[in-house]
């Protein structure tokens, strides 16, 4: 029987490559200390999937014949451990993968011997295996969707020639960022000099789970923290967070504008329950509303001094955190861009005179950010772009504060975001 860690990884890989679904949140929650091994295995398989499959193909009797997913998963997991996880023994890497191949739910029983033979040969020289895999073209690991996202990230900065450098950077698992909510900064976290309030995990320090569970701090990506460090000195009495779950940005808005009436919208029932629980744990006074944001905005008579619209999007800017993203189906972009424009139109109607509207997406694709900005500027002349972020967070070459948040992907360590700010 494979270990729980390997079973969890195999289930996640089947979800991505079989169902074309994202790796579920908290997929490793029940693994305890074994979660580190599982995270390493899954990350390597997702980030090196193309190379792993290309390495196996010429070893097959009939290379052009299709290979069942269960076989591909078992081989990828075994090879990843042999090549890149020196702490895993040959025996564990090979035998556990063979057992996965023999699993009727996750494997393909007739290929148990094939998996055993390929992995035993590979285990004879693990250094050579790693060298062979690393020598294969990096482009094997990025399908067309990833290629397009990288080009979109670099084009505004005139850095298209740096595509390979950006891809290489995104293959390293991201370092988590944190924000203090109350009390003292715990041991193992250190403030960042260039982003006030942002905390980073020091090398070798344990993940601060007890501190987070006690609601004394929260995980929040650097880009989200920089996005919400906007410069704005006008009075803010009413705030709307239009797509609020899981609640990190809602929390930051409440802390930035204490005393303001805060409304948080969320459409998914489970995320609503989680959002309410998070607000309660953190002592945040917010009216959490279970509603479709577009419908609620279109029928609401209320006006807000500050609206944050962190819209549903393709997530192309989360490549580093979600290495499964390149392998998913991305055919719903027209639906997403239509929804984004509908939300933006409705949010603009609810903006009070002198108020601030921030639209954001964790995407590099121009149709999800830049195109909406240009359209809004033309369609709603009563709205004016307002520069609320430092020049360094805009496009290359800017010297003045920017109304378009778009950090350089090679010079900024954080998720890929686009955002723009308008005032009425």
């Amino acid at each position: 029987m494979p270990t729980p860690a390997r079973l969890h990884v195999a289930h996640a890989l089947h979800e991505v490559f079989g169902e074309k679904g994202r790796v579920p949140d908290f997929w490793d929650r029940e693994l305890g200390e074994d979660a580190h091994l599982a995270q390493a295995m899954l990350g390597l398989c997702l980030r090196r999937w193309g190379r792993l499959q290309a390495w196996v193909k010429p070893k097959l009797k009939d290379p052009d014949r299709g290979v069942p997913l269960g076989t591909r998963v078992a081989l990828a997991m075994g090879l990843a451990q042999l090549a890149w996880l020196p702490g895993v023994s040959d025996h564990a890497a090979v035998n556990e993968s063979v057992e996965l191949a023999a699993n009727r739910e996750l494997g393909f029983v007739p290929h148990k011997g094939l998996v055993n033979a390929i992995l035993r040969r590979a285990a004879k020289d693990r250094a050579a295996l790693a060298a062979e895999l690393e020598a294969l073209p990096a482009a094997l690991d990025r399908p067309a969707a990833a290629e397009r996202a990288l080009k979109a990230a670099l084009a505004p900065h005139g850095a298209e020639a740096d595509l390979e450098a950006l891809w290489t950077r995104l293959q390293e698992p991201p370092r988590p960022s944190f924000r203090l909510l109350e009390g003292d900064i715990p041991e193992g976290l250190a403030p960042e000099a260039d982003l006030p309030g942002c905390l980073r995990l020091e090398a070798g320090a344990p993940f601060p789970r007890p501190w987070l569970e006690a609601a004394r701090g929260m995980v929040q990506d650097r880009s989200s923290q920089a996005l919400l460090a906007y410069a704005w000195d006008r009075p803010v009495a009413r705030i709307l967070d239009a797509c609020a779950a899981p609640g990190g940005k809602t929390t930051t808005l409440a802390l930035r504008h204490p005393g303001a009436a805060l409304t948080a919208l969320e459409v998914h029932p489970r995320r609503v329950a989680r959002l309410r629980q998070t607000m309660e744990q953190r002592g945040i006074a917010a009216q959490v509303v279970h509603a479709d944001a577009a419908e609620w905005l279109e029928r609401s008579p209320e006006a807000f001094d500050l609206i944050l619209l962190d819209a549903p999007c393709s997530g192309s800017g989360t490549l580093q955190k979600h290495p499964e993203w390149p392998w998913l189906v991305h055919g719903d972009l027209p639906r997403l861009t239509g929804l984004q424009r509908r939300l933006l139109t409705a949010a603009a109607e609810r903006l009070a005179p002198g108020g601030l509207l921030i639209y954001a997406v964790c995407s590099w694709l121009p149709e999800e950010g830049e195109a909406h900005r240009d359209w809004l500027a033309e369609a709603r002349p009563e709205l004016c772009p307002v520069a609320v972020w430092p020049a360094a967070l805009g496009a290359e070459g800017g010297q003045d504060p920017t109304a378009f948040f778009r950090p350089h992907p090679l010079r900024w360590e954080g998720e890929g975001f686009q955002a723009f700010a308008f005032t009425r």
Side-chain angles (χ1 to χ4, degrees), residues 24-188:
D25 291 339
F26 311 115
W27 67 277
D28 57 349
R29 174 179 282 173
E30 302 170 356
L31 293 177
E33 293 183 359
D34 287 343
H36 296 294
L37 173 62
Q39 291 162 4
M41 277 193 288
L42 181 60
L44 287 166
C45 287
L46 291 172
R47 291 185 168 93
R48 298 290 185 269
W49 183 260
R51 291 189 222 194
L52 291 165
Q53 304 308 314
W55 186 91
V56 167
K57 191 172 182 179
K59 277 76 175 173
L60 302 174
K61 185 180 294 185
D62 184 358
D64 295 324
R65 186 177 180 182
V67 179
L69 179 59
T71 303
R72 288 184 280 146
V73 166
L75 283 169
M77 288 177 60
L79 291 169
Q81 293 170 80
L82 291 171
W84 297 300
L85 295 179
V88 177
S89 69
D90 294 0
H91 176 81
V94 175
N95 285 17
E96 296 272 349
S97 298
V98 172
E99 289 192 26
L100 276 173
N103 184 294
R104 296 190 179 277
E105 177 188 4
L106 297 169
F108 184 67
V109 179
H111 281 178
K112 179 180 177 180
L114 172 68
V115 170
N116 183 60
I118 289 177
L119 293 182
R120 287 196 180 281
R121 284 198 299 270
K124 290 179 179 178
D125 192 340
R126 295 174 66 160
L129 170 65
E132 289 176 21
L133 286 165
E134 294 292 352
L136 291 171
L140 290 168
D141 298 320
R142 55 174 193 260
E147 200 83 11
R148 180 164 183 250
L150 296 175
K151 291 177 180 176
L154 293 164
H157 307 275
E160 294 92 334
D162 294 326
L163 188 145
E164 292 296 339
L166 178 57
W167 179 250
T168 298
R169 185 182 81 75
L170 295 175
Q171 299 318 294
E172 293 296 323
R175 290 196 303 150
S177 299
F178 305 87
R179 194 161 190 90
L180 182 70
L181 297 178
E182 65 174 39
D184 298 323
I185 297 175
E187 186 176 352

Side-chain angles (χ1 to χ4, degrees), residues 11-23 42 46 69 323-325 327-328:
H11 277 290
L13 291 172
H14 275 269
E15 178 65 27
V16 173
F17 295 104
E19 304 299 326
K20 297 301 180 183
R22 286 186 177 272
V23 175
L42 181 60
L46 291 172
L69 179 59
E324 75 272 25
W325 188 90
W327 303 105
L328 305 180

Side-chain angles (χ1 to χ4, degrees), residues 127-414:
L129 170 65
E132 289 176 21
L133 286 165
E134 294 292 352
L136 291 171
L140 290 168
D141 298 320
R142 55 174 193 260
E147 200 83 11
R148 180 164 183 250
L150 296 175
K151 291 177 180 176
L154 293 164
H157 307 275
E160 294 92 334
D162 294 326
L163 188 145
E164 292 296 339
L166 178 57
W167 179 250
T168 298
R169 185 182 81 75
L170 295 175
Q171 299 318 294
E172 293 296 323
R175 290 196 303 150
S177 299
F178 305 87
R179 194 161 190 90
L180 182 70
L181 297 178
E182 65 174 39
D184 298 323
I185 297 175
E187 186 176 352
L189 295 186
E192 278 215 348
D194 62 342
L195 185 55
C198 184
L199 305 173
R200 302 302 293 271
L201 199 63
E202 295 179 315
F207 191 80
R209 195 172 303 280
W211 177 70
L212 295 170
E213 291 175 348
R216 294 195 294 271
M218 65 179 180
V219 177
Q220 190 172 46
D221 182 77
R222 287 184 88 240
S223 292
S224 294
Q225 294 196 39
L227 174 77
L228 293 176
Y230 50 82
W232 191 249
D233 56 7
R234 297 182 188 178
V236 174
R238 297 180 60 80
I239 302 173
L240 175 67
D241 188 354
C243 302
K249 295 183 181 70
T250 317
T251 300
T252 302
L253 290 170
L255 296 177
R256 280 213 57 180
H257 304 281
L262 175 56
T263 300
L265 305 180
E266 179 53 49
V267 66
H268 300 289
R270 289 185 181 179
R271 290 165 67 87
V272 169
R274 183 182 171 194
L275 179 59
R276 286 184 174 137
Q277 182 182 32
T278 298
M279 296 298 99
E280 183 177 346
Q281 288 175 337
R282 295 175 180 171
I284 302 297
Q287 180 188 10
V288 177
V289 179
H290 178 200
D292 177 276
E295 293 177 0
W296 190 92
L297 284 163
E298 287 165 350
R299 68 171 185 266
S300 172
E302 299 181 64
F304 296 90
D305 304 305
L306 195 159
I307 299 176
L308 173 64
L309 174 54
D310 186 3
C313 70
S314 67
S316 60
T318 67
L319 270 171
Q320 188 175 22
K321 186 169 72 173
H322 293 291
E324 75 272 25
W325 188 90
W327 303 105
L328 305 180
V329 174
H330 299 288
D332 62 345
L333 192 58
R335 180 191 67 81
L336 283 170
T337 55
L339 174 60
Q340 290 157 4
R341 189 155 295 188
R342 180 186 175 193
L343 285 165
L344 188 54
T345 302
E349 291 287 341
R350 304 273 67 80
L351 187 64
L356 177 66
L357 168 63
I358 295 177
Y359 169 92
V361 283
C362 51
S363 169
W364 284 308
L365 302 181
E367 55 264 54
E368 297 191 87
E370 184 175 0
H372 293 320
R373 179 199 61 167
D374 295 345
W375 168 82
L376 187 65
E378 183 176 347
R380 304 298 297 266
E382 76 277 14
L383 300 180
C384 304
V386 55
V388 296
W389 296 291
L393 296 178
E396 185 69 10
Q399 300 298 318
D400 299 320
T402 180
F404 194 11
F405 181 96
R406 186 164 53 180
H408 194 300
L410 275 171
R411 300 176 186 174
W412 176 257
E413 189 182 350

